Amino acid sequence: MTYFDFNSASEQNSFDPIPKGTLVHVRMTVLPGGFNDPAQGWTDGYATRNAQTGSAYLNCEFVVLEGEFARRKMWSLIGLSSPKGPEWANMGRSFMKAILNSARGIHPADNSAAAQNARRIGGFADLDGIEFLAKVDWEKDQHGQDKSVVKSAVTPDHKDYAALMGATSRAPVAPAASNPNAYAQASGRAPVTGRPSWAE
């Protein structure tokens, strides 16, 4: 076989956007931008700052892990701060909270001690490599063409969450406002050494 015999070459991939509203299991990678703001606790270089607008954000890549669109990639920004006001930062914090709820199987209505601990991270590095269930949205690219993006995470209160995330590996925490061991009870496992600190 020579290089110029293309019969054995793979079929080309489709670059059509993933349909809007599709739920996909993704892994998020934070692309470090080197911006730090010690006053905010941002000291790990993961944040990016736009020199023109002054806004700060996380530059994120999302890889679909399984299903029809496995290995497809999407890119989105998660807002951290903006000179224009708090809305950009508030949207970013809401998205990150939903990502943690999705990744760690925490019901949004659960305010137990275990659930609250699961919504805390030590820094942006804790989000690098996190896996969660995402809902695909569309935006226009610089050429006016539709592109797939991730702007929201799907949490355990969604009817398809367990099937798409794997019910055996991520047992959702049911709402239990006063139970500090809600995670362990909902998952059927008592806290044991070696579990993530947020699950203790």
Side-chain angles (χ1 to χ4, degrees):
M1 186 187 75
T2 69
Y3 174 86
F4 298 104
D5 181 353
F6 295 102
N7 285 290
S8 61
S10 301
E11 297 301 319
Q12 65 181 0
N13 294 323
S14 169
F15 292 97
D16 292 335
I18 299 172
K20 191 174 184 178
T22 302
L23 304 185
V24 288
H25 183 185
V26 300
R27 177 185 296 117
M28 182 174 89
T29 299
V30 182
L31 308 174
F35 175 67
N36 292 315
D37 185 347
Q40 299 275 8
W42 308 340
T43 58
D44 49 16
Y46 277 95
T48 299
R49 185 175 183 271
N50 184 308
Q52 282 72 44
T53 66
S55 62
Y57 53 88
L58 297 181
N59 187 13
C60 300
E61 175 186 272
F62 304 88
V63 179
V64 180
L65 298 177
E66 56 201 6
E68 179 184 355
F69 302 103
R71 297 183 298 280
R72 292 282 297 273
K73 294 182 179 182
M74 296 171 280
W75 293 268
S76 298
L77 307 180
I78 300 178
L80 299 178
S81 66
S82 171
K84 295 181 179 178
E87 184 178 1
W88 175 244
N90 291 338
M91 289 172 58
R93 287 178 58 80
S94 295
F95 186 19
M96 286 185 274
K97 178 181 180 180
I99 288 173
L100 292 171
N101 281 339
S102 180
R104 296 175 172 180
I106 307 300
H107 194 288
D110 188 353
N111 290 313
S112 67
Q116 290 184 38
N117 199 37
R119 296 186 188 109
R120 296 185 180 103
I121 58 174
F124 295 134
D126 290 352
L127 298 176
D128 189 30
I130 198 166
E131 296 180 14
F132 66 97
L133 190 62
K135 183 177 180 180
V136 176
D137 202 348
W138 284 3
E139 282 183 353
K140 297 293 185 184
D141 63 17
Q142 64 268 35
H143 306 294
Q145 301 297 311
D146 290 324
K147 66 173 183 176
S148 301
V149 295
V150 174
K151 290 186 174 181
S152 60
V154 179
T155 53
D157 54 327
H158 191 283
K159 63 183 178 63
D160 296 325
Y161 174 89
L164 294 172
M165 280 296 282
T168 56
S169 61
R170 296 173 181 82
V173 177
S178 61
N179 187 351
N181 292 316
Y183 178 89
Q185 290 183 3
S187 63
R189 297 171 292 183
V192 294
T193 303
R195 291 183 60 198
S197 61
W198 57 263
E200 295 297 337

PDB file of all heavy atoms in Angstrom, residues 14-24 64 68-69 72 74 134-139 146-150:
ATOM      1  N   SER A  14     -17.837  14.906  10.462  1.00  0.00           N
ATOM      2  CA  SER A  14     -18.790  15.981  10.217  1.00  0.00           C
ATOM      3  C   SER A  14     -18.444  17.168  11.107  1.00  0.00           C
ATOM      4  O   SER A  14     -18.094  16.994  12.270  1.00  0.00           O
ATOM      5  CB  SER A  14     -20.216  15.507  10.531  1.00  0.00           C
ATOM      6  OG  SER A  14     -21.105  16.604  10.529  1.00  0.00           O
ATOM      7  N   PHE A  15     -18.534  18.352  10.545  1.00  0.00           N
ATOM      8  CA  PHE A  15     -18.297  19.550  11.324  1.00  0.00           C
ATOM      9  C   PHE A  15     -19.579  20.349  11.525  1.00  0.00           C
ATOM     10  O   PHE A  15     -19.544  21.509  11.928  1.00  0.00           O
ATOM     11  CB  PHE A  15     -17.214  20.410  10.658  1.00  0.00           C
ATOM     12  CG  PHE A  15     -15.855  19.767  10.699  1.00  0.00           C
ATOM     13  CD1 PHE A  15     -15.377  19.056   9.605  1.00  0.00           C
ATOM     14  CD2 PHE A  15     -15.071  19.847  11.821  1.00  0.00           C
ATOM     15  CE1 PHE A  15     -14.126  18.456   9.643  1.00  0.00           C
ATOM     16  CE2 PHE A  15     -13.823  19.251  11.879  1.00  0.00           C
ATOM     17  CZ  PHE A  15     -13.348  18.549  10.781  1.00  0.00           C
ATOM     18  N   ASP A  16     -20.726  19.719  11.241  1.00  0.00           N
ATOM     19  CA  ASP A  16     -22.000  20.366  11.530  1.00  0.00           C
ATOM     20  C   ASP A  16     -22.139  20.533  13.038  1.00  0.00           C
ATOM     21  O   ASP A  16     -21.676  19.676  13.810  1.00  0.00           O
ATOM     22  CB  ASP A  16     -23.167  19.527  11.008  1.00  0.00           C
ATOM     23  CG  ASP A  16     -23.215  19.484   9.486  1.00  0.00           C
ATOM     24  OD1 ASP A  16     -22.690  20.429   8.868  1.00  0.00           O
ATOM     25  OD2 ASP A  16     -23.756  18.512   8.939  1.00  0.00           O
ATOM     26  N   PRO A  17     -22.761  21.610  13.500  1.00  0.00           N
ATOM     27  CA  PRO A  17     -22.939  21.793  14.943  1.00  0.00           C
ATOM     28  C   PRO A  17     -23.737  20.631  15.545  1.00  0.00           C
ATOM     29  O   PRO A  17     -24.621  20.061  14.898  1.00  0.00           O
ATOM     30  CB  PRO A  17     -23.724  23.104  15.039  1.00  0.00           C
ATOM     31  CG  PRO A  17     -23.481  23.805  13.744  1.00  0.00           C
ATOM     32  CD  PRO A  17     -23.328  22.724  12.721  1.00  0.00           C
ATOM     33  N   ILE A  18     -23.396  20.282  16.775  1.00  0.00           N
ATOM     34  CA  ILE A  18     -24.213  19.318  17.512  1.00  0.00           C
ATOM     35  C   ILE A  18     -25.582  19.954  17.707  1.00  0.00           C
ATOM     36  O   ILE A  18     -25.676  21.140  18.041  1.00  0.00           O
ATOM     37  CB  ILE A  18     -23.571  18.996  18.872  1.00  0.00           C
ATOM     38  CG1 ILE A  18     -22.193  18.366  18.665  1.00  0.00           C
ATOM     39  CG2 ILE A  18     -24.457  18.063  19.694  1.00  0.00           C
ATOM     40  CD1 ILE A  18     -21.398  18.179  19.949  1.00  0.00           C
ATOM     41  N   PRO A  19     -26.670  19.216  17.463  1.00  0.00           N
ATOM     42  CA  PRO A  19     -28.007  19.829  17.562  1.00  0.00           C
ATOM     43  C   PRO A  19     -28.243  20.551  18.883  1.00  0.00           C
ATOM     44  O   PRO A  19     -27.876  20.050  19.954  1.00  0.00           O
ATOM     45  CB  PRO A  19     -28.943  18.626  17.411  1.00  0.00           C
ATOM     46  CG  PRO A  19     -28.157  17.655  16.583  1.00  0.00           C
ATOM     47  CD  PRO A  19     -26.731  17.813  17.038  1.00  0.00           C
ATOM     48  N   LYS A  20     -28.821  21.715  18.789  1.00  0.00           N
ATOM     49  CA  LYS A  20     -29.118  22.529  19.966  1.00  0.00           C
ATOM     50  C   LYS A  20     -30.039  21.768  20.913  1.00  0.00           C
ATOM     51  O   LYS A  20     -31.005  21.145  20.488  1.00  0.00           O
ATOM     52  CB  LYS A  20     -29.790  23.834  19.515  1.00  0.00           C
ATOM     53  CG  LYS A  20     -29.920  24.884  20.590  1.00  0.00           C
ATOM     54  CD  LYS A  20     -30.451  26.176  19.980  1.00  0.00           C
ATOM     55  CE  LYS A  20     -30.507  27.287  21.004  1.00  0.00           C
ATOM     56  NZ  LYS A  20     -30.966  28.566  20.414  1.00  0.00           N
ATOM     57  N   GLY A  21     -29.726  21.792  22.201  1.00  0.00           N
ATOM     58  CA  GLY A  21     -30.529  21.113  23.200  1.00  0.00           C
ATOM     59  C   GLY A  21     -30.083  19.696  23.510  1.00  0.00           C
ATOM     60  O   GLY A  21     -30.592  19.071  24.442  1.00  0.00           O
ATOM     61  N   THR A  22     -29.107  19.167  22.746  1.00  0.00           N
ATOM     62  CA  THR A  22     -28.605  17.824  22.990  1.00  0.00           C
ATOM     63  C   THR A  22     -27.910  17.762  24.356  1.00  0.00           C
ATOM     64  O   THR A  22     -27.165  18.670  24.719  1.00  0.00           O
ATOM     65  CB  THR A  22     -27.599  17.407  21.895  1.00  0.00           C
ATOM     66  OG1 THR A  22     -28.243  17.477  20.622  1.00  0.00           O
ATOM     67  CG2 THR A  22     -27.090  15.990  22.114  1.00  0.00           C
ATOM     68  N   LEU A  23     -28.144  16.684  25.100  1.00  0.00           N
ATOM     69  CA  LEU A  23     -27.476  16.470  26.379  1.00  0.00           C
ATOM     70  C   LEU A  23     -26.283  15.552  26.150  1.00  0.00           C
ATOM     71  O   LEU A  23     -26.434  14.475  25.570  1.00  0.00           O
ATOM     72  CB  LEU A  23     -28.428  15.853  27.404  1.00  0.00           C
ATOM     73  CG  LEU A  23     -29.720  16.624  27.686  1.00  0.00           C
ATOM     74  CD1 LEU A  23     -30.499  15.957  28.812  1.00  0.00           C
ATOM     75  CD2 LEU A  23     -29.441  18.082  28.022  1.00  0.00           C
ATOM     76  N   VAL A  24     -25.111  15.979  26.586  1.00  0.00           N
ATOM     77  CA  VAL A  24     -23.887  15.217  26.350  1.00  0.00           C
ATOM     78  C   VAL A  24     -23.043  15.163  27.622  1.00  0.00           C
ATOM     79  O   VAL A  24     -22.964  16.134  28.374  1.00  0.00           O
ATOM     80  CB  VAL A  24     -23.051  15.809  25.196  1.00  0.00           C
ATOM     81  CG1 VAL A  24     -23.708  15.544  23.844  1.00  0.00           C
ATOM     82  CG2 VAL A  24     -22.831  17.308  25.370  1.00  0.00           C
ATOM     83  N   VAL A  64     -16.800  15.780  24.298  1.00  0.00           N
ATOM     84  CA  VAL A  64     -17.884  14.809  24.500  1.00  0.00           C
ATOM     85  C   VAL A  64     -17.246  13.433  24.696  1.00  0.00           C
ATOM     86  O   VAL A  64     -16.414  13.003  23.895  1.00  0.00           O
ATOM     87  CB  VAL A  64     -18.856  14.808  23.309  1.00  0.00           C
ATOM     88  CG1 VAL A  64     -19.982  13.791  23.537  1.00  0.00           C
ATOM     89  CG2 VAL A  64     -19.436  16.207  23.084  1.00  0.00           C
ATOM     90  N   GLU A  68     -23.210   9.452  20.296  1.00  0.00           N
ATOM     91  CA  GLU A  68     -23.129   9.796  18.872  1.00  0.00           C
ATOM     92  C   GLU A  68     -22.074  10.846  18.569  1.00  0.00           C
ATOM     93  O   GLU A  68     -21.454  10.839  17.502  1.00  0.00           O
ATOM     94  CB  GLU A  68     -24.508  10.294  18.420  1.00  0.00           C
ATOM     95  CG  GLU A  68     -24.587  10.724  16.979  1.00  0.00           C
ATOM     96  CD  GLU A  68     -25.949  11.292  16.601  1.00  0.00           C
ATOM     97  OE1 GLU A  68     -26.872  11.266  17.448  1.00  0.00           O
ATOM     98  OE2 GLU A  68     -26.084  11.754  15.441  1.00  0.00           O
ATOM     99  N   PHE A  69     -21.844  11.758  19.509  1.00  0.00           N
ATOM    100  CA  PHE A  69     -20.933  12.884  19.250  1.00  0.00           C
ATOM    101  C   PHE A  69     -19.611  12.742  20.015  1.00  0.00           C
ATOM    102  O   PHE A  69     -18.912  13.729  20.239  1.00  0.00           O
ATOM    103  CB  PHE A  69     -21.622  14.200  19.607  1.00  0.00           C
ATOM    104  CG  PHE A  69     -22.901  14.410  18.847  1.00  0.00           C
ATOM    105  CD1 PHE A  69     -24.135  14.209  19.475  1.00  0.00           C
ATOM    106  CD2 PHE A  69     -22.891  14.759  17.510  1.00  0.00           C
ATOM    107  CE1 PHE A  69     -25.319  14.375  18.776  1.00  0.00           C
ATOM    108  CE2 PHE A  69     -24.073  14.934  16.800  1.00  0.00           C
ATOM    109  CZ  PHE A  69     -25.290  14.738  17.436  1.00  0.00           C
ATOM    110  N   ARG A  72     -16.147  14.917  19.940  1.00  0.00           N
ATOM    111  CA  ARG A  72     -16.369  16.280  19.432  1.00  0.00           C
ATOM    112  C   ARG A  72     -16.004  17.281  20.525  1.00  0.00           C
ATOM    113  O   ARG A  72     -16.184  17.045  21.708  1.00  0.00           O
ATOM    114  CB  ARG A  72     -17.837  16.457  19.020  1.00  0.00           C
ATOM    115  CG  ARG A  72     -18.251  15.643  17.805  1.00  0.00           C
ATOM    116  CD  ARG A  72     -17.793  16.250  16.498  1.00  0.00           C
ATOM    117  NE  ARG A  72     -18.380  17.552  16.258  1.00  0.00           N
ATOM    118  CZ  ARG A  72     -19.563  17.745  15.661  1.00  0.00           C
ATOM    119  NH1 ARG A  72     -20.271  16.711  15.226  1.00  0.00           N
ATOM    120  NH2 ARG A  72     -20.027  18.961  15.469  1.00  0.00           N
ATOM    121  N   MET A  74     -16.083  21.419  22.000  1.00  0.00           N
ATOM    122  CA  MET A  74     -16.742  22.719  22.009  1.00  0.00           C
ATOM    123  C   MET A  74     -15.929  23.641  22.911  1.00  0.00           C
ATOM    124  O   MET A  74     -15.216  23.181  23.799  1.00  0.00           O
ATOM    125  CB  MET A  74     -18.177  22.592  22.545  1.00  0.00           C
ATOM    126  CG  MET A  74     -19.082  21.733  21.684  1.00  0.00           C
ATOM    127  SD  MET A  74     -20.691  21.377  22.479  1.00  0.00           S
ATOM    128  CE  MET A  74     -20.211  20.036  23.584  1.00  0.00           C
ATOM    129  N   ALA A 134     -23.804  18.129  30.131  1.00  0.00           N
ATOM    130  CA  ALA A 134     -23.980  19.475  29.578  1.00  0.00           C
ATOM    131  C   ALA A 134     -25.122  19.516  28.575  1.00  0.00           C
ATOM    132  O   ALA A 134     -25.437  18.509  27.939  1.00  0.00           O
ATOM    133  CB  ALA A 134     -22.689  19.931  28.899  1.00  0.00           C
ATOM    134  N   LYS A 135     -25.700  20.689  28.428  1.00  0.00           N
ATOM    135  CA  LYS A 135     -26.720  20.930  27.404  1.00  0.00           C
ATOM    136  C   LYS A 135     -26.113  21.806  26.314  1.00  0.00           C
ATOM    137  O   LYS A 135     -25.576  22.882  26.598  1.00  0.00           O
ATOM    138  CB  LYS A 135     -27.936  21.621  28.013  1.00  0.00           C
ATOM    139  CG  LYS A 135     -29.072  21.853  27.021  1.00  0.00           C
ATOM    140  CD  LYS A 135     -30.263  22.486  27.715  1.00  0.00           C
ATOM    141  CE  LYS A 135     -31.419  22.718  26.736  1.00  0.00           C
ATOM    142  NZ  LYS A 135     -32.589  23.335  27.416  1.00  0.00           N
ATOM    143  N   VAL A 136     -26.171  21.334  25.093  1.00  0.00           N
ATOM    144  CA  VAL A 136     -25.564  22.048  23.973  1.00  0.00           C
ATOM    145  C   VAL A 136     -26.415  23.249  23.572  1.00  0.00           C
ATOM    146  O   VAL A 136     -27.640  23.151  23.462  1.00  0.00           O
ATOM    147  CB  VAL A 136     -25.375  21.104  22.763  1.00  0.00           C
ATOM    148  CG1 VAL A 136     -24.839  21.874  21.554  1.00  0.00           C
ATOM    149  CG2 VAL A 136     -24.449  19.949  23.130  1.00  0.00           C
ATOM    150  N   ASP A 137     -25.763  24.368  23.359  1.00  0.00           N
ATOM    151  CA  ASP A 137     -26.418  25.572  22.848  1.00  0.00           C
ATOM    152  C   ASP A 137     -25.664  26.012  21.596  1.00  0.00           C
ATOM    153  O   ASP A 137     -24.633  25.429  21.250  1.00  0.00           O
ATOM    154  CB  ASP A 137     -26.407  26.673  23.905  1.00  0.00           C
ATOM    155  CG  ASP A 137     -27.488  27.721  23.687  1.00  0.00           C
ATOM    156  OD1 ASP A 137     -28.098  27.734  22.598  1.00  0.00           O
ATOM    157  OD2 ASP A 137     -27.714  28.534  24.596  1.00  0.00           O
ATOM    158  N   TRP A 138     -26.168  27.039  20.926  1.00  0.00           N
ATOM    159  CA  TRP A 138     -25.505  27.557  19.724  1.00  0.00           C
ATOM    160  C   TRP A 138     -25.189  29.027  19.892  1.00  0.00           C
ATOM    161  O   TRP A 138     -25.898  29.771  20.550  1.00  0.00           O
ATOM    162  CB  TRP A 138     -26.400  27.394  18.488  1.00  0.00           C
ATOM    163  CG  TRP A 138     -26.480  26.010  17.932  1.00  0.00           C
ATOM    164  CD1 TRP A 138     -25.895  24.879  18.427  1.00  0.00           C
ATOM    165  CD2 TRP A 138     -27.197  25.601  16.774  1.00  0.00           C
ATOM    166  NE1 TRP A 138     -26.205  23.799  17.652  1.00  0.00           N
ATOM    167  CE2 TRP A 138     -27.005  24.202  16.622  1.00  0.00           C
ATOM    168  CE3 TRP A 138     -27.985  26.275  15.848  1.00  0.00           C
ATOM    169  CZ2 TRP A 138     -27.583  23.480  15.578  1.00  0.00           C
ATOM    170  CZ3 TRP A 138     -28.566  25.561  14.807  1.00  0.00           C
ATOM    171  CH2 TRP A 138     -28.355  24.175  14.674  1.00  0.00           C
ATOM    172  N   GLU A 139     -24.075  29.418  19.279  1.00  0.00           N
ATOM    173  CA  GLU A 139     -23.694  30.822  19.135  1.00  0.00           C
ATOM    174  C   GLU A 139     -23.200  31.036  17.718  1.00  0.00           C
ATOM    175  O   GLU A 139     -22.886  30.074  17.019  1.00  0.00           O
ATOM    176  CB  GLU A 139     -22.555  31.188  20.101  1.00  0.00           C
ATOM    177  CG  GLU A 139     -22.935  31.417  21.523  1.00  0.00           C
ATOM    178  CD  GLU A 139     -21.735  31.833  22.374  1.00  0.00           C
ATOM    179  OE1 GLU A 139     -20.594  31.794  21.837  1.00  0.00           O
ATOM    180  OE2 GLU A 139     -21.925  32.173  23.540  1.00  0.00           O
ATOM    181  N   ASP A 146     -23.225  29.147  12.736  1.00  0.00           N
ATOM    182  CA  ASP A 146     -23.571  28.552  14.020  1.00  0.00           C
ATOM    183  C   ASP A 146     -22.455  27.642  14.517  1.00  0.00           C
ATOM    184  O   ASP A 146     -21.839  26.904  13.733  1.00  0.00           O
ATOM    185  CB  ASP A 146     -24.867  27.723  13.896  1.00  0.00           C
ATOM    186  CG  ASP A 146     -26.090  28.595  13.693  1.00  0.00           C
ATOM    187  OD1 ASP A 146     -26.142  29.693  14.268  1.00  0.00           O
ATOM    188  OD2 ASP A 146     -27.000  28.170  12.944  1.00  0.00           O
ATOM    189  N   LYS A 147     -22.195  27.712  15.807  1.00  0.00           N
ATOM    190  CA  LYS A 147     -21.234  26.790  16.423  1.00  0.00           C
ATOM    191  C   LYS A 147     -21.829  26.294  17.737  1.00  0.00           C
ATOM    192  O   LYS A 147     -22.602  26.992  18.398  1.00  0.00           O
ATOM    193  CB  LYS A 147     -19.892  27.468  16.675  1.00  0.00           C
ATOM    194  CG  LYS A 147     -19.923  28.584  17.711  1.00  0.00           C
ATOM    195  CD  LYS A 147     -18.519  29.088  18.034  1.00  0.00           C
ATOM    196  CE  LYS A 147     -18.549  30.163  19.123  1.00  0.00           C
ATOM    197  NZ  LYS A 147     -17.212  30.595  19.519  1.00  0.00           N
ATOM    198  N   SER A 148     -21.458  25.066  18.115  1.00  0.00           N
ATOM    199  CA  SER A 148     -21.950  24.478  19.359  1.00  0.00           C
ATOM    200  C   SER A 148     -21.137  25.002  20.530  1.00  0.00           C
ATOM    201  O   SER A 148     -19.906  25.097  20.455  1.00  0.00           O
ATOM    202  CB  SER A 148     -21.839  22.953  19.300  1.00  0.00           C
ATOM    203  OG  SER A 148     -22.584  22.443  18.216  1.00  0.00           O
ATOM    204  N   VAL A 149     -21.832  25.331  21.624  1.00  0.00           N
ATOM    205  CA  VAL A 149     -21.178  25.807  22.838  1.00  0.00           C
ATOM    206  C   VAL A 149     -21.845  25.162  24.045  1.00  0.00           C
ATOM    207  O   VAL A 149     -22.930  24.580  23.937  1.00  0.00           O
ATOM    208  CB  VAL A 149     -21.249  27.347  22.970  1.00  0.00           C
ATOM    209  CG1 VAL A 149     -20.468  28.028  21.853  1.00  0.00           C
ATOM    210  CG2 VAL A 149     -22.695  27.828  22.976  1.00  0.00           C
ATOM    211  N   VAL A 150     -21.190  25.271  25.189  1.00  0.00           N
ATOM    212  CA  VAL A 150     -21.768  24.794  26.449  1.00  0.00           C
ATOM    213  C   VAL A 150     -21.953  25.992  27.360  1.00  0.00           C
ATOM    214  O   VAL A 150     -20.983  26.694  27.674  1.00  0.00           O
ATOM    215  CB  VAL A 150     -20.860  23.745  27.112  1.00  0.00           C
ATOM    216  CG1 VAL A 150     -21.398  23.370  28.490  1.00  0.00           C
ATOM    217  CG2 VAL A 150     -20.742  22.511  26.241  1.00  0.00           C
TER     218      VAL A 150
END
